[in-house]
Amino acid sequence: MPYIPLKENLPGITGLLDYRLDTALPIRQLTHTLLRGKSTLSEGERELIATVVSYGNECRFCTAAHTAAANAWLPDPSIAEQVKTDIATAPVSEKLKTLLFIAKAVGKSGRLVSPEMVAAARKAGATDLEIHDTVLIAALFSLYNRYVDGLASVTPMEPAFYDRLGHILREKGYLPSEDRYAGLAP
């Protein structure tokens, strides 16, 4: 049960963003820029960063939502599951692995990112912008995880809900739109 009154049909962060639209807009804009804007990292790779951080922070709603969003972009839905449980053996590039390790560290504390981790990312071909954006995405999703869990927003248990949400995030991105979540209803 959420700690504040939220619309029942908008679980997780969706209800929280609807609750306070003036703060929702800049949150949505930053998220859209980072996850859908111009980048040398694919949308699926950026969703994996969000997934790894949310999984590490044990935020069930964000983990399920961004696993589904990653699955909507990636050719193989098992990739997100593998990345969550073992980055080192996941079937992703070495560059992405190094960035995911950085993201996982940021999810716990920015101070856990070491010069060695950054050097490994650079050696694997990561650019300074990719390193920057990885840290910013990880920090942003740490905020979201605490926002969702700190207000005890509703977390649906049905996998089909997250599949629908993942497709909405792929098709509509993160900016506000009319009837944005109409497709969430069963």
Side-chain angles (χ1 to χ4, degrees), residues 69-140:
N71 290 345
W73 286 102
L74 297 171
D76 179 357
S78 72
I79 294 171
E81 290 304 319
Q82 293 175 58
V83 162
K84 288 188 295 192
T85 57
D86 188 3
I87 295 169
T89 62
V92 297
S93 70
E94 287 304 311
K95 176 177 87 171
L96 184 56
K97 286 178 186 181
T98 64
L99 294 173
L100 291 170
F101 281 122
I102 289 172
K104 186 175 177 179
V106 171
K108 297 300 176 194
S109 170
R111 291 188 189 112
L112 294 177
V113 178
S114 68
E116 294 80 16
M117 294 169 83
V118 173
R122 285 188 176 126
K123 184 177 179 186
T127 66
D128 287 346
L129 183 59
E130 290 169 336
I131 294 167
H132 171 277
D133 287 358
T134 296
V135 170
L136 186 52
I137 292 167
L140 188 62

Side-chain angles (χ1 to χ4, degrees), residues 4-25:
I4 60 174
L6 300 172
K7 291 181 182 174
E8 289 182 26
N9 65 322
L10 297 176
I13 199 167
T14 60
L16 297 171
L17 294 173
D18 183 72
Y19 180 82
R20 182 134 187 219
L21 296 174
D22 61 333
T23 60
L25 183 59

Side-chain angles (χ1 to χ4, degrees), residues 37-172:
K38 185 178 176 184
S39 177
T40 52
L41 296 174
S42 73
E43 289 86 350
E45 290 171 329
R46 290 177 276 169
E47 288 289 352
L48 286 176
I49 293 168
T51 299
V52 164
V53 171
S54 298
Y55 183 77
N57 286 329
E58 300 177 12
C59 181
R60 291 190 328 234
F61 179 85
C62 294
T63 299
H66 294 284
T67 296
N71 290 345
W73 286 102
L74 297 171
D76 179 357
S78 72
I79 294 171
E81 290 304 319
Q82 293 175 58
V83 162
K84 288 188 295 192
T85 57
D86 188 3
I87 295 169
T89 62
V92 297
S93 70
E94 287 304 311
K95 176 177 87 171
L96 184 56
K97 286 178 186 181
T98 64
L99 294 173
L100 291 170
F101 281 122
I102 289 172
K104 186 175 177 179
V106 171
K108 297 300 176 194
S109 170
R111 291 188 189 112
L112 294 177
V113 178
S114 68
E116 294 80 16
M117 294 169 83
V118 173
R122 285 188 176 126
K123 184 177 179 186
T127 66
D128 287 346
L129 183 59
E130 290 169 336
I131 294 167
H132 171 277
D133 287 358
T134 296
V135 170
L136 186 52
I137 292 167
L140 188 62
F141 274 85
S142 292
L143 176 147
Y144 295 159
N145 301 155
R146 286 153 181 81
Y147 187 33
V148 166
D149 288 342
L151 287 167
S153 65
V154 173
T155 300
M157 300 307 288
E158 317 82 50
F161 169 86
Y162 295 101
D163 291 338
R164 292 189 303 274
L165 179 57
H167 288 288
I168 289 169
L169 294 174
R170 179 186 164 103
E171 298 306 315
K172 295 187 178 188

